Amino acid sequence: MQAKHGAFLTWAMVALTLTTGMVEAISFLVLGPVFTAVQTGTMLLLSFALAGVVALSIAPCLASLAGFTVGAVLSARFESRSRVRGRRWFREALIAEGLVLTAAAAVAWGIDRHGESLTGRHYMVTGLVALAMGIRNVSTLRVGVPGLTTTVTTRAFAALIGGSPLAVDARIAPGSGNQARRAASVAAMFAGGLLGAWLLHDGRLSAAVVLLVTAALVLAIALSFTWVPRERTSEAG
C-alpha cells in the first residue's frame, strides 16, 4: 500500500510540474514578462527592470512577489494547523490553489495578447496566480518528494546529468528510479511550457481559458487523492 501511495504521489507531482510550465507560459507571454511560480526569475527580471532595461516593468514583478509571499504565508499557517488536526493538508492545499487559479481566470477574462499595455487587471491576475504558486511551493516543499519540487527543475536537471554515465557523481543518489523521477520532472516542465505557449500562440485560446484548464488539472489531481489510501506524506498526514 505504501509503495502504491508513493508511486501515485510521484506521478501527481509530475503532473503538477506540467501545470507550472503552463502557468509560466501565461505569466511570461501575457502578463509580463514576469514569472509567478519561479521567483528566481522574478527577482532577476525585477533587477533588470530597476537597471532600466527596455520592455521590462517593475510593477508586474512586485505584484508577483507580493502575491507569492501572501500565498506562502497562508499555506504555511494553514498546513501547520491542519497537521495538528490530522487533516489531509496536501489535498486541501491543492484545492485552494485550484480555486485561486479559477479566480485568476475570471479576472483575466478579456486579457488575450502579449504586447498590450499592462493595466491594473494584469497586475491583479499576476498577484492571484503568484498567490496560488506560493501555496503550491510551500505544500510541495512539505511533501518532500526527492527531485520533484514541481516549480524548479534546475536541481533535477543537474542531478540527472550528475547521476548519468557521463558523470557518475557518487554523492548523487543513484538508481534508475531516481533518474526516472529527475527526467520526468525536466520533461514535464518543458512539456507544460510548450503546451501553454502553443495554446496561447496566435490566439488559439485566451489566457483566461488556459488558466481555467490549468486550474481544472490541479483540482483533478487534488480530488484524485480521495481514492488513494490514507498515508502520511513527509512530516504531515
Side-chain angles (χ1 to χ4, degrees):
M1 183 179 294
Q2 185 173 358
K4 181 179 180 181
H5 180 89
F8 174 81
L9 183 59
T10 294
W11 287 111
M13 298 286 274
V14 170
L16 288 171
T17 304
L18 184 140
T19 65
T20 297
M22 296 176 67
V23 161
E24 293 298 42
I26 299 165
S27 302
F28 193 85
L29 298 176
V30 178
L31 301 176
V34 70
F35 295 100
T36 50
V38 184
Q39 289 300 314
T40 300
T42 301
M43 290 287 187
L44 289 172
L45 289 175
L46 178 60
S47 67
F48 300 158
L50 288 170
V53 174
V54 177
L56 294 181
S57 177
I58 295 172
C61 295
L62 294 179
S64 178
L65 289 169
F68 188 92
T69 300
V70 172
V73 169
L74 292 177
S75 182
R77 291 177 64 86
F78 168 76
E79 289 165 20
S80 295
R81 296 182 65 182
S82 293
R83 179 190 176 194
V84 172
R85 295 194 300 269
R87 291 187 177 182
R88 302 184 70 179
W89 55 267
F90 187 45
R91 182 184 65 184
E92 294 175 349
L94 290 177
I95 291 174
E97 176 192 329
L99 292 177
V100 173
L101 287 174
T102 301
V107 177
W109 208 263
I111 297 176
D112 297 323
R113 301 182 306 279
H114 169 66
E116 65 182 8
S117 299
L118 298 180
T119 65
R121 199 146 62 94
H122 287 81
Y123 305 144
M124 186 179 299
V125 176
T126 297
L128 285 170
V129 175
L131 192 153
M133 293 300 102
I135 295 172
R136 160 85 65 85
N137 272 269
V138 170
S139 60
T140 54
L141 180 65
R142 286 169 59 89
V143 170
V145 178
L148 287 170
T149 64
T150 79
T151 55
V152 179
T153 60
T154 304
R155 286 183 177 272
F157 191 35
L160 179 64
I161 297 170
S164 71
L166 296 174
V168 195
D169 189 334
R171 292 169 296 180
I172 297 176
S176 58
N178 289 324
Q179 287 294 82
R181 279 198 304 271
R182 294 159 185 159
S185 176
V186 174
M189 184 69 79
F190 177 82
L194 182 64
L195 176 61
W198 182 82
L199 291 174
L200 293 168
H201 186 62
D202 290 337
R204 287 187 178 93
L205 293 177
S206 68
V209 173
V210 179
L211 274 174
L212 277 177
V213 171
T214 306
L217 288 173
V218 172
L219 289 171
I221 294 166
L223 294 177
S224 66
F225 277 90
T226 303
W227 292 279
V228 176
R230 287 182 179 269
E231 194 76 23
R232 294 183 70 85
T233 55
S234 186
E235 69 209 46

